[in-house]
């Protein structure tokens, strides 16, 4: 019982971190039709930035906020320099964003250190709770809570605000959004920055969880996030949230019960979903929230 | 008064030369019908005016000012509204949400235009909370027209609104467009000749990316030769 509950908590925590990456990816793909393979690089930058800022300020909240700012700034530069010239061309997008991924990862070594960095958990989030014989690690619960809050916030943003409506309309038909007098390029930039900020936030959250950060750490999560975007349906936040939890849980449970299959499990999940619903759980276009 | 003027407009889509010198004048307060068979370049003409396809040559003057170099959103802000051929519905948004993002902020007249649209298309008023993707074909068309109009459009570009609609819906649409003609100017692409006749003041006829004829709707009604040659009707 104890171990099963802990597996579920681990799975949900991983799922939430994947969700923070997938949310940006799915919006960027749904709205701009851009495949961003550099998303994992932004995640790693968030992790390094968070560790660095935590060391500097001693405040974990400031470290998380600072990581988001770093991610958004990098996203802004990336959209202008790397993505803009290749709108509409998927092959070029794959090439330039893979290139950007390598650059981001190498730059980390130059700016910070070539060696892995140790990441501390803030005191108030260290340790665990003993809930009637079940040991629950505080930091994992914290990740789940924060992930759930981000999901709720994003959903409200997309449903209730004008910019959210514009993003959802743009997922369905970007030309028509422009024909309403809305500068879609500006919306693209904002969404890209926002997605980058979320990815960096995910990285900063992961750091204390894994205890160490290194420049290639984004890769594994980025792959999971791509699987999630496909399972959830391109452009759908709801789909990504559900798929992230599925992927996180199946990863944790498989790793424990059938370790040999744990890598294949998520691929299998994706294949199964695609067989039943080729456009993902929440449809292809038109599912912005 | 000429509201919109196209002078030898050319458009390339990738390597294809689609519009090969389109020249026309749209008079304010009129419905001008753009006719021509499938593939003639009608949709491309509207998209080029709207800035969704780039003009590779010629000039487009709206209220006397060149707009052919502007991005689409700025052309829209100057007062041109677009109702695309496939309606371009935001399937996941409700009717209300769609109309809300279409209304420019800080435009006091927008409310008034909205209430007139809801009066003209009572179905939209009845289904304000419904997701646009769940509307009938006719209702989607109404929504697409209302979305273009509430954003303060002095000129509406409407692409084949009757396509795929039942005859009774087409009649409703004709009625609505007749009333809208009192308040705005329309450039209408229409294959349904009955509809074109019912609301058109003037016409242009396109073939293979060029304007081959134009004049008053009354003149077209007399010209059986032209109608047979390009429209397949006597
Ligand atoms: N995206 C495109 N790529 C290549 N050719 C196109 C594209 N869009 C339109 N065309 C071609 O341009 C011509 C005019 O198309 P269109 O403007 O849609 O005609 P219409 O609306 O009069 O039926 C057609 O021959 C069509 O095949
Ligand atoms: Mg057409």
């Amino acid at each position: 019982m104890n171990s099963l509950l802990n597996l579920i908590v681990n799975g949900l925590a991983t799922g939430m971190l994947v969700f923070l990456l997938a949310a940006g990816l799915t919006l960027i793909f749904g709205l701009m039709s851009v495949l961003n393979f550099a998303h994992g690089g932004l995640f790693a930058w968030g992790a390094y930035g968070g560790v660095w800022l935590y060391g500097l300020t001693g405040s974990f909240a400031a470290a998380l906020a600072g990581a988001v700012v770093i991610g958004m700034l990098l996203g802004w530069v990336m959209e202008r320099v790397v993505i803009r010239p290749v709108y509409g061309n998927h092959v070029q997008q794959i090439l330039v964003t893979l290139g950007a991924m390598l650059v981001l990862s190498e730059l980390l070594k130059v700016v910070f250190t070539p060696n892995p960095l140790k990441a501390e958990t803030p005191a108030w989030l260290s340790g665990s709770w003993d809930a009637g014989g079940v040991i629950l690690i505080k930091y994992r619960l914290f990740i789940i809570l924060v992930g759930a809050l981000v999901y709720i916030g994003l959903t409200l943003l997309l449903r209730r605000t004008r910019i959210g409506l514009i993003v959802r309309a743009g997922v369905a038909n970007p030309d028509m959004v422009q024909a309403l007098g809305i500068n879609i390029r500006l919306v693209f930039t904002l969404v890209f920055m926002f997605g980058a900020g979320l990815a960096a936030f995910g990285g900063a959250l992961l750091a204390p969880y894994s205890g160490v950060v290194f420049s290639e750490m984004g890769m594994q999560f980025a792959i999971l996030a791509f699987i999630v975007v496909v399972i959830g349906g391109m452009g759908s936040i709801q789909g990504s949230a559900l798929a992230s939890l599925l992927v996180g849980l199946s990863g944790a449970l498989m790793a424990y019960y059938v370790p040999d299959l744990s890598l294949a499990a998520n691929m299998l999940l994706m294949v199964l979903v695609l067989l039943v619903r080729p456009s993902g759980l929440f449809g292809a276009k038109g599912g912005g929230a | 008064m000429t509201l919109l003027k196209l002078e030898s407009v050319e458009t390339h889509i990738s390597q294809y030369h689609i519009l090969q010198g389109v020249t026309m004048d749209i008079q304010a307060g009129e419905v001008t019908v753009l006719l021509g068979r499938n593939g003639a370049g009608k949709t491309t003409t509207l998209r080029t005016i709207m800035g969704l396809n780039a003009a590779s040559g010629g000039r487009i003057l709206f209220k006397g000012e060149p707009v052919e170099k502007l991005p689409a959103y700025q052309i829209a802000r100057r007062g041109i509204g677009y109702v695309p051929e496939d309606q371009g519905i935001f399937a996941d948004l409700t009717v209300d949400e769609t109309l809300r993002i279409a209304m420019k902020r800080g435009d006091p007249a927008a409310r008034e235009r909205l209430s007139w649209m809801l009066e003209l298309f009572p179905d939209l008023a009845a289904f304000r909370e419904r997701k646009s993707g769940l509307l009938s074909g006719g209702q989607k068309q109404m929504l697409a027209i209302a979305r273009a109009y509430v954003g303060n459009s002095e000129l509406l570009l409407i692409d084949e609104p009757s396509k795929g609609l039942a005859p009774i819906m087409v009649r409703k649409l004709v009625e609505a467009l007749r009333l809208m003609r009192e308040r705005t100017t329309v450039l209408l692409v229409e294959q349904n000749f009955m509809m074109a006749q019912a609301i058109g003041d003037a016409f242009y006829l396109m073939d293979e990316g060029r304007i081959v004829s134009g004049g008053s709707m009354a003149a077209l009604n007399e010209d059986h030769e032209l109608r047979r040659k390009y429209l397949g009707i006597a």
Side-chain angles (χ1 to χ4, degrees), chain B residues 100-161:
Chain B
R100 235 187 307 152
I101 59 168
M103 290 196 288
K104 295 189 175 71
R105 277 171 302 180
D107 178 0
R111 295 254 138 237
E112 195 266 326
R113 281 194 301 272
L114 174 64
S115 52
W116 188 54
M117 279 290 115
L118 295 178
E119 199 181 304
L120 202 59
F121 301 121
D123 278 18
L124 295 184
F127 295 123
R128 282 182 82 153
E129 298 305 320
R130 181 165 293 193
K131 282 216 191 286
S132 311
L134 302 177
L135 299 173
S136 75
Q139 290 161 346
K140 282 181 185 156
Q141 194 63 58
M142 293 171 187
L143 178 58
I145 292 172
R147 178 179 62 187
Y149 182 76
V150 295
N152 185 22
S153 297
E154 288 169 65
L155 170 67
L156 287 180
L157 312 175
I158 310 182
D159 202 346
E160 297 203 32

Side-chain angles (χ1 to χ4, degrees), chain A residues 159 162 165-166 168-169 172-173 175-183 286-289, chain B residues 47 50 52 72-73 76-77 82 84 88-90 92-93 97 100-103 105 147:
Chain A
R159 296 227 172 123
R162 181 177 168 85
L165 292 182
I166 290 171
R168 285 163 59 208
N173 192 332
D175 272 359
M176 198 54 232
V177 169
Q178 291 207 74
L180 296 179
I182 293 160
N183 182 355
Chain B
R47 284 181 60 86
M50 201 65 230
L52 295 169
Y73 76 94
R77 286 181 190 177
Y82 181 46
I89 288 301
F90 308 135
D92 184 51
L93 269 62
E97 288 171 334
R100 235 187 307 152
I101 59 168
M103 290 196 288
R105 277 171 302 180
R147 178 179 62 187

